[in-house]
Structure formats: structure tokens, C-alpha cells
Amino acid sequence: MPDATGLELLAQELGEAALETVYFREQATIVIDPAEVRAVLRSLREAGYSFLASVHGVDYYPEEPRLGVVYELLDMSRVDRIAVKLRVGMDSPEVDSVTAEWPTADHQEREVFDMFGVVFRDHPDLRRILMPEDYEGHPQRRDFPVGGEPVIFTRDAAEWLEARE
Amino acid sequence: MSPTENPPLSAYRRREQSITLSPLEDPHDGAPGETSDELLTLNFGPHHPATHGVLRLLVTLQGEVVRDIKPIIGYVHTGIEKTAEDKAYWKVIPVVERMDYLSYYFNAMAFCGAVEKLVEVEVPKRGQYLRVIHLELNRIASHLIWLGTSALDLGAVSIFLYCLREREQILDLFEMSSGQRMHTRYFQVGGVIEDIPAGFASKLREFLKVMPERADEYGAILNSNEIVLQRLRGTCPLDAATLLGLGVSGPLLRAAGNPWDLRKADPYCSYEDFDFKIPVGTVGDNYDRFAVRLAEIYESVKIIEQALDGLPEGPHITEDRKVALPPRHELATSMEALIHHFKLVTEGFRVPPGEVYNAIESPRGELGCFVRSDGSSKPARVHMRDPSFVNLQALSHMARGNYIADMVATVAMLDPILGGIDR
Amino acid sequence: MKREKLGSAVDPATLRVRTLNAHQLLRGGELEGANQPAHLEGEELDRYVQERVLTTTLDSAVAWARSNSFFPLAFGLACCAMEQFQTAGPRMDIARFGFEAFRASPRQADLIILAGRVSIKMAPIIRRLYDQMLEPKWAISMGACCSSMGVFNNYALVPADKFMPIDVHVPGCPPRPEALMHGVLKLRKLVQDDPDLGLRERYGAVGTEERP
């Protein structure tokens, strides 16, 4: 991980796009403006962070803006990790897709779309990946219920069958 | 019309809709095989004889040559990450273990490592060494099942039974240390739940004596088998640069020549104390992937031997009573121990708010765990970055332009675990 | 081609005598030779006959044959599939009982062992597989996830009882090979003794066989 000063320098280089930096438990995170995601990742790639390890979503309910997307980058030559975070609100959950430059983001962005509802512009094939294609709702949002079935025991089986009819 | 309701048709779908049956043309001079431009879409349904879980592939073929593969996943989606938000940190461990169901210790390790970073608790040396022993045993077990099922796909059925025999010995060892064969809940936040019993070390040493000889046998059987060699050598190679762009890590990347291994590059859990090599391939074809994994078994045996020889004395879990349960005998004498036990079991420990990403090297690549905590006793978000999920994207690149039989071998060498892919 | 005689242990003459004695006994007449059980009456006579003649109904014979030759469908979903492999492995050898022929095609199988968690995307496919199997067919639900929701009681899973009739539930997470074996042997006993427990009617699955 870049240490705290390295992180500040990196954020300064990114200029307007970097909104905030967080250095927590020796891990560096830069919070950026959602419109600049492609430019930021490009400049981080030039800085050496060439491996996109993970793209995942977080739901920050009840804080606004609610939906966050985190990009975990890794610099293999210096063994450095940095996380790039962006937050979008529920009114316009759209982010530019980085799949064209980082092919690994393909399935991972589809998963963020499936689970949180963040739409990635210019994604080659944005469909649900884990849930059935016609599923309604985005399961990993915090206000989506966990769900589940009541367990059918043998002694309750008769009532359960009656209730079904 | 928002994009969520009517997502745009992918190029594949558009092509599928535009296929028309063209009359067979005369084969042009001297060229055997392809006589028409007809594309056939074949569905390798979720249920198929290849024992790699419920993976569905839509394969577009021209003759016998694969032109495109679209994997469709989600048939074992269990909502593990959502379930984990509903449980205390301690209870998340068994839920998260069942994700990548062949490398259960690794799932638990990634999660426990992330929580340990958040809580800032230190794992004692003995706990770390015990963790390494179990992790490497799990790596050997995972590679054995990979070898067995891959050989089964290629037609070598007896290797499957041999590998299962070795795996039984490893599962016996797991049962000795934790009481369960799979999904043992042995790793806890702060260390391991129990120390190893008497007799574990000697049984482990017997196994370590036997395992390299058995691995030699498997190598000898497969390496001198003409059919296996023809099916694996030179088929579906992919270079390291493309793999890095696709986010692939683990034995697939090492087979292509890039020696990236988190155990050496960014050591965690005392891996820096051990002396082992990283097997690296040259060409990146199926044979290299097979050879790299087979060689990793020997390296894991070396690591376990060193860990067992150098196993230090001391506690096996952190002494911090706010995070780890106190030993049972203290509950009879100490009031604080009783209160800690009660709080830990009913509510669980609270974790200061923050986000952490912890990555380890699982048998399939980089296994990362992202934990976001909001200060309460339940995590606010747990995301497991599963290596198979990302590695699967490389399948279409690997198999494009090759025969369909090579595609089957490639799926085997890719080592996908659908539990990890679908979570 | 060489025909062997019936072995030196049995003298053809003695064998002929025994056969004649049995015929005479069944007709209720006098016997010749050394064995003269004609004086046996009642219970002793019953026992004498039972030791020598096997009677059964056609149903029982067929049920016995079916129960000892399950062809399981090679169908593993998740972690339980690993323990299913171990059951087919060298230590807990399912081939001892004759069930090692795991078929890939549902048309050729008569036992489906649901090994692992059933997600909502997979449930209709499993149902289709089950419908494609030919009668008589049985289902074992292996593990806690498909029997009752298991560790994960959430939006993504379905208990197997909701969409197909299950004959035997094997608990465990994952069940040990011994436990799965116990479940399979229980199913074997069920098929031998009482093949029709009315489970189809109970779960509303009458008419699930595929019509031509």
C-alpha cells in the first residue's frame, strides 16, 4: 500500500477527480467523482497499478449517495494496492463502464448491476448474471429482505399442504 | 425506457438471430473440413457429464471449431453475501466457508484476515503455523480433486479413484483436528478454534511421507500417456498479458510464465518463514497448467513439513478476550471470563467502522474478501472476490479457434468451482 | 465343447433320489431311500418344505431386483457433491452395493441424488431432469440445503420438497459418506418392502411422469 503521504501525492496528481482520501489500517482508498472513473483508472494505470483485482458494489444505506462501486487495483511490480471508490445516488445510478480498457470488469460489472442496480454505460452485454434473467429487484441492496422459506417439518406437513390449496 | 428493463442485445444475440441456413457449397480445392459458414450454437447445459458443477456454456461452433463461448452462471447462487450481512461476525465464518467448496479453509482465512485487520488483533505464532498447515493441506486436497475430475473428463478414470484415496487421508486429518471433514469452522477471528490433538503430528508425518510418492505415480501415469499428452500439449494457449488484462491470477497465470504468487509477493500468515518454490510454466497451454498444479502439490508438502518441524509453543488463538472465547476452565473461576463469554456468544464482538480488503492465494488464484463494518456486531457488506469468477472470463479467449474437444480439456484445466463463481 | 459332470461331491444317483423324494413329498406320498420325512407332520413338515422351496410374489421379486440395482444420476450441485464423490471413492465404496454406475443421462437413471443447494435458477431444470427420468424413479435429497434450507435461509434457495417428491432426506452439511450410504440403503429397504408409500399423492405429484 502507498503510505499516507504517497496517497496524498497520488490524489493531488488526480486533481479535481479525487474528492477524498482515506488511509485506514494501512490501506489506501481514493473517493472519486463518478464521471471521471475512466480517466482516473487510466492515470493510475500509468502510475503502475495495472491489475484490476476486483470491482464490487456496496450499499451505504441510509447514507446518501447510496450506491458505491469500489475498484481494487494492484501494482504487481511494487506490490501496492489501492482502492478507488465512487458513490452514486439512487436517482441516477449510472457509471461509465471500464470494460473496454480493463477486460476483467466484464462479469464483475454485470454482478454489480445484478445485485445493486448500478447501470454501466457502454457495457458490451449488461444482463443479469447470477439471478434469473426475469428477476425483479436487486437483492443485495440493504432494503431488500433476506427472504427465505419456512422449514416444513413432518408434523406440520398436513397443515402446509392444506394451506397450499 | 430505462436500460434495466430492456437491456441492449449483445452482439452474440444479434448474430444468433441473423443465422440463416445456407445451402452446402462445394469444398474449395484442397481444403478439407469447413464447407460452409454455418454457425451452430450448442448448449452445454447446466447438467452435463463433466464434473465441474452447474456451468452452462453457449458454444458457437463452425464445424468443430469453437468460435465463441458465452458462459451463463448463477445456477448455484446462494446469496452468501446477503446472508452474511444478517449474522454476527463469528457466525459469518461457516456461511462464507461454503462459498468455494473445495478450498473452505481459504474462504475462512480471507474473511478472518479481513476482520482481524479491522479489529487490529494479532494472531499468535502457533495459530499462524497451524493455519498454514491446514491451508496447505486444503491446497493439496483441492488439487487432488482437480486432478481426479480433469482426468475423468479426459477419460482416465482410475486417477479419479486414486486421488479420492489420498483425499480421504487428508479429510481424516481434518476430522482429527476439528471434528468435521469439510467446512470445519476451524479458523476463527484471532487464530484457530482448538489446538491439534495428540497423534495429529505423527499421522500428518505419515501422510507427508506417502504423498510425494503418490504424486510421482500420478505424474508418471499421466505424463507417459500418449492420449493425455496429445490432448494437453499445445492446446488453447493464452499469453500472460491477455491473462493480466482479464484479471486472471493463480496457476493459470503462473502457467503462462508470470510468477505472481501472493504467498511470496505479499506474505501473510507467516509464509515468509518457509522456503518453497513457485512452479512456473513457459507456454501457457493446457499442459503447463496441469504441470504447474501437479508441482504445487510437492511444494505444499514441503511447506507443511517445515511448519510442522518449526511449530512453536504458545496459544493457538489470540488472548484478547473481547474477540476470542476464553478457555472453558476459566469460566469456573473468573467473572470477567464469564461475562466475555456471554457477550461473545449472544451478541458477538463489535468491530470499529471501516472498510478493508484482504487478499490471499487460494488454489485457484487471488481470493479477496472485502468487509465493510458500520460499528455494530454484524458486517454491513461482505464481498468475496472469487478467483474462479474472474478466471472464467478467460475461457472464451482460450478456446476460440480450437476444437470442441480442446474446449472440454480447457474447462477442466481452468479449474472452475461453481460455488465460488456463483456465491 | 466339453461338458462337466456335476462334480464329485454329488453322486448322480443320490441327486436323482432327492428329486424324486421332493416330488413325492409335495404330492404327499411315501418316500424311498434313506430320507423318510413322510412321518413329519404339521409344523415340522412346514419347516422342512420352507428350507427347500422358495416362494414369493412377482412384486417382491421385482422390487428386490430394482432395489439392488439403482442407477444414480451423476448430478452434483455443490459441496455435497464432493462427499458424493467420496462415497463412490475407494473407502466407502458404493460399488459394493452395485450402485457405481452413475449415468450421465436422466433417461438411463432411476435415482437422482440431489447433492447440494438448489437455487431458484436451477429448480426448473432439476424438475425437467426429474420428469425425464423413467418410472420407477426415486429421489434422495442429500444434505441440509436441499432438504430444509440449510445454512442459507434466504431469497436464493428453494427446498427440494417444493418442486419434486423426495423419498429420503439425508441430513448433514455435508453428510459423511457413511450418512449418504445409510440414506441409500434406507431407500433400498424402502423399495424392497414397500415401494409405494403414497409420497406422490402426498406431495401433489401424481401425473409427473412424462407422457409420450
Side-chain angles (χ1 to χ4, degrees):
Chain A
M1 337 290 152
D3 56 357
T5 38
L7 177 61
E8 290 303 323
L9 290 172
L10 209 53
Q12 269 173 12
E13 273 172 49
L14 294 172
E16 284 296 315
L19 301 175
E20 199 191 325
T21 62
V22 179
Y23 192 74
F24 178 73
R25 303 282 190 263
E26 289 166 37
Q27 292 196 351
T29 306
I30 304 185
V31 184
I32 63 164
D33 179 12
E36 302 288 324
V37 63
R38 283 188 190 159
V40 166
L41 288 187
R42 222 173 284 147
S43 35
L44 284 175
R45 178 181 248 159
E46 279 152 33
Y49 297 93
S50 58
F51 186 77
L52 180 59
S54 175
V55 180
H56 49 269
V58 192
D59 187 357
Y60 286 97
Y61 184 84
E63 305 164 12
E64 281 292 334
R66 203 174 129 180
L67 298 173
V69 182
V70 182
Y71 300 80
E72 293 281 344
L73 291 160
L74 167 65
D75 180 349
M76 284 180 159
S77 49
R78 277 174 296 163
V79 193
D80 244 0
R81 284 187 194 272
I82 191 166
V84 174
K85 197 160 74 166
L86 54 88
R87 310 254 309 238
V88 284
M90 288 288 282
D91 42 351
S92 70
E94 289 184 9
V95 177
D96 282 334
S97 163
V98 299
T99 309
E101 292 159 28
W102 307 82
T104 180
D106 187 359
H107 282 196
Q108 305 196 53
E109 283 177 350
R110 277 176 69 185
E111 191 198 343
V112 177
F113 165 66
D114 190 2
M115 292 287 131
F116 291 94
V118 176
V119 174
F120 289 90
R121 287 186 279 249
D122 302 327
H123 189 279
D125 183 16
L126 195 66
R127 292 176 286 150
R128 286 191 179 267
I129 192 171
L130 295 177
M131 304 306 295
E133 300 255 338
D134 51 359
Y135 195 78
E136 282 171 16
H138 297 281
Q140 263 167 14
R141 290 192 178 161
R142 296 282 268 171
D143 51 359
F144 191 91
V146 177
E149 305 270 344
V151 180
I152 313 162
F153 293 100
T154 319
R155 59 169 187 260
D156 302 330
E159 311 164 2
W160 177 79
L161 278 171
E162 262 176 42
R164 232 166 41 127
E165 279 141 29
Chain B
M1 171 167 63
S2 82
T4 46
E5 278 152 23
N6 205 352
L9 274 186
S10 64
Y12 163 73
R13 286 269 181 85
R14 274 181 261 131
R15 186 176 57 218
E16 194 185 20
Q17 287 180 354
S18 69
I19 288 178
T20 50
L21 287 181
S22 57
L24 280 180
E25 290 147 21
D26 289 329
H28 34 279
D29 300 324
E34 303 173 30
T35 54
S36 70
D37 296 329
E38 196 177 305
L39 288 172
L40 169 72
T41 308
L42 197 61
N43 179 41
F44 266 55
H47 170 72
H48 50 77
T51 44
H52 291 295
V54 281
L55 174 64
R56 179 174 173 203
L57 298 173
L58 282 176
V59 183
T60 310
L61 296 170
Q62 182 182 16
E64 265 211 28
V65 178
V66 172
R67 290 296 170 209
D68 191 18
I69 298 184
K70 275 277 192 293
I72 299 182
I73 56 181
Y75 291 97
V76 206
H77 175 64
T78 326
I80 288 185
E81 300 178 350
K82 181 86 182 176
T83 308
E85 287 173 16
D86 203 32
K87 303 197 184 298
Y89 283 89
W90 188 35
K91 299 191 182 176
V92 170
I93 296 174
V95 170
V96 156
E97 254 179 348
R98 283 152 170 81
M99 180 192 77
D100 181 342
Y101 44 76
L102 268 191
S103 49
Y104 25 102
Y105 282 104
F106 291 91
N107 302 334
M109 175 75 212
F111 177 74
C112 289
V115 179
E116 279 151 19
K117 277 190 197 166
L118 276 174
V119 181
E120 287 187 305
V121 85
E122 165 104 20
V123 180
K125 221 38 181 168
R126 187 179 173 88
Q128 288 185 7
Y129 273 55
L130 286 175
R131 277 186 173 181
V132 166
I133 291 177
H134 285 86
L135 284 173
E136 294 303 317
L137 276 174
N138 204 168
R139 192 184 301 267
I140 299 178
S142 168
H143 282 326
L144 282 173
I145 286 273
W146 159 80
L147 185 60
T149 51
S150 301
L152 195 63
D153 282 351
L154 296 176
V157 180
S158 47
I159 304 280
F160 182 61
L161 292 170
Y162 290 146
C163 291
L164 290 183
R165 172 188 60 182
E166 250 58 72
R167 187 159 177 262
E168 282 281 353
Q169 288 193 307
I170 299 182
L171 293 180
D172 277 346
L173 286 165
F174 288 159
E175 198 181 356
M176 251 186 123
S177 67
S178 62
Q180 259 271 74
R181 288 156 58 108
M182 289 175 66
H183 307 323
T184 58
R185 204 216 355 62
Y186 187 62
F187 287 12
Q188 297 288 309
V189 176
V192 294
I193 197 168
E194 254 181 26
D195 210 341
I196 48 174
F200 184 84
S202 53
K203 196 160 179 182
L204 182 56
R205 277 193 212 281
E206 275 174 37
F207 170 74
L208 291 175
K209 231 186 326 183
V210 162
M211 189 67 221
E213 296 164 10
R214 295 279 157 78
D216 286 338
E217 272 179 30
Y218 307 149
I221 294 177
L222 289 171
N223 276 324
S224 54
N225 185 325
E226 189 62 34
I227 296 180
V228 166
L229 289 178
Q230 288 241 1
R231 283 197 76 168
L232 294 183
R233 257 197 218 288
T235 53
C236 303
L238 197 56
D239 61 309
T242 321
L243 286 173
L244 281 174
L246 287 163
V248 172
S249 51
L252 293 171
L253 187 62
R254 294 199 279 276
N258 186 330
W260 176 254
D261 188 329
L262 279 169
R263 293 176 290 171
K264 286 279 197 195
D266 190 12
Y268 54 95
C269 197
S270 303
Y271 269 106
E272 61 269 13
D273 296 349
F274 306 118
D275 170 37
F276 60 100
K277 298 203 184 51
I278 308 288
V280 174
T282 45
V283 178
D285 59 358
N286 280 338
Y287 184 75
D288 276 347
R289 294 167 196 143
F290 156 76
V292 159
R293 287 208 182 92
L294 194 58
E296 280 185 3
I297 297 181
Y298 295 100
E299 301 302 320
S300 292
V301 166
K302 266 193 242 169
I303 299 178
I304 304 175
E305 263 171 15
Q306 292 169 44
L308 198 58
D309 290 336
L311 191 60
E313 296 296 323
H316 52 89
I317 197 169
T318 178
E319 307 268 311
D320 185 354
R321 296 274 179 266
K322 294 219 182 331
V323 165
L325 286 177
R328 297 293 300 201
H329 60 86
E330 269 186 33
L331 293 183
T333 49
S334 154
M335 193 57 196
E336 288 85 22
L338 199 61
I339 297 176
H340 279 132
H341 182 100
F342 179 74
K343 285 244 42 156
L344 281 174
V345 170
T346 51
E347 189 196 353
F349 52 86
R350 295 199 176 192
V351 173
E355 299 176 358
V356 138
Y357 178 78
N358 180 40
I360 63 170
E361 181 78 21
S362 92
R364 276 155 268 285
E366 173 175 325
L367 174 63
C369 182
F370 172 84
V371 177
R372 170 180 171 243
S373 110
D374 55 0
S376 72
S377 62
K378 298 186 181 175
R381 169 84 168 118
V382 175
H383 172 78
M384 306 292 291
R385 184 263 188 211
D386 185 75
S388 305
F389 184 60
V390 180
N391 293 354
L392 192 63
Q393 297 173 96
L395 180 62
S396 64
H397 291 259
M398 282 179 190
R400 211 165 280 173
N402 288 290
Y403 289 123
I404 196 167
D406 296 336
M407 186 204 81
V408 173
T410 309
V411 171
M413 291 301 138
L414 199 71
D415 199 6
I417 293 289
L418 267 296
I421 294 180
D422 288 344
R423 262 163 283 130
Chain C
M1 195 165 108
K2 204 167 145 209
R3 274 190 172 231
E4 300 279 347
K5 290 279 176 179
L6 198 66
S8 54
V10 181
D11 183 21
T14 332
L15 192 60
R16 180 78 182 136
V17 169
R18 270 200 230 159
T19 320
L20 287 173
N21 280 350
H23 284 162
Q24 289 235 343
L25 197 63
L26 289 172
R27 264 180 265 132
E30 294 270 332
L31 285 179
E32 297 164 18
N35 262 346
Q36 301 240 4
H39 57 281
L40 293 178
E41 309 232 336
E43 233 180 81
E44 291 175 350
L45 184 61
D46 284 336
R47 214 175 339 125
Y48 185 85
V49 172
Q50 270 171 27
E51 283 168 23
R52 284 152 182 77
V53 177
L54 174 66
T55 60
T56 179
T57 62
L58 189 61
D59 278 341
S60 302
V62 169
W64 176 84
R66 278 185 183 149
S67 68
N68 276 309
S69 65
F70 289 133
F71 278 17
L73 182 66
F75 188 67
L77 286 161
C79 352
C80 284
M82 303 297 123
E83 289 291 34
Q84 198 183 6
F85 292 165
Q86 297 292 142
T87 312
R91 185 184 289 182
M92 175 54 61
D93 196 5
I94 209 172
R96 287 182 283 158
F97 304 98
F99 308 145
E100 81 275 14
F102 282 82
R103 319 304 300 167
S105 157
R107 298 279 187 199
Q108 298 170 1
D110 59 5
L111 171 65
I112 180 169
I113 302 185
L114 278 180
R117 39 208 197 228
V118 180
S119 76
I120 51 179
K121 211 165 167 180
M122 193 66 194
I125 294 171
I126 300 181
R127 182 68 213 207
R128 208 187 304 170
L129 282 176
Y130 184 73
D131 287 341
Q132 281 177 351
M133 287 164 66
L134 305 176
E135 286 292 333
K137 56 191 174 187
W138 297 278
I140 290 184
S141 160
M142 173 184 180
C145 284
C146 40
S147 313
S148 54
M149 299 286 270
V151 188
F152 317 100
N153 198 342
N154 59 22
Y155 62 91
L157 294 188
V158 184
D161 286 310
K162 275 217 153 180
F163 60 89
M164 61 187 264
I166 303 277
D167 295 295
V168 174
H169 298 85
V170 180
C173 191
R176 294 184 60 113
E178 286 90 341
L180 178 62
M181 216 54 245
H182 182 76
V184 174
L185 291 177
K186 239 190 160 63
L187 181 68
R188 183 176 80 162
K189 188 135 203 333
L190 184 140
V191 172
Q192 268 178 357
D193 297 339
D194 190 358
D196 186 25
L197 275 186
L199 285 175
R200 294 282 162 76
E201 287 82 33
R202 193 159 159 213
Y203 288 102
V206 175
T208 59
E209 308 87 27
E210 209 175 278
R211 305 249 175 266

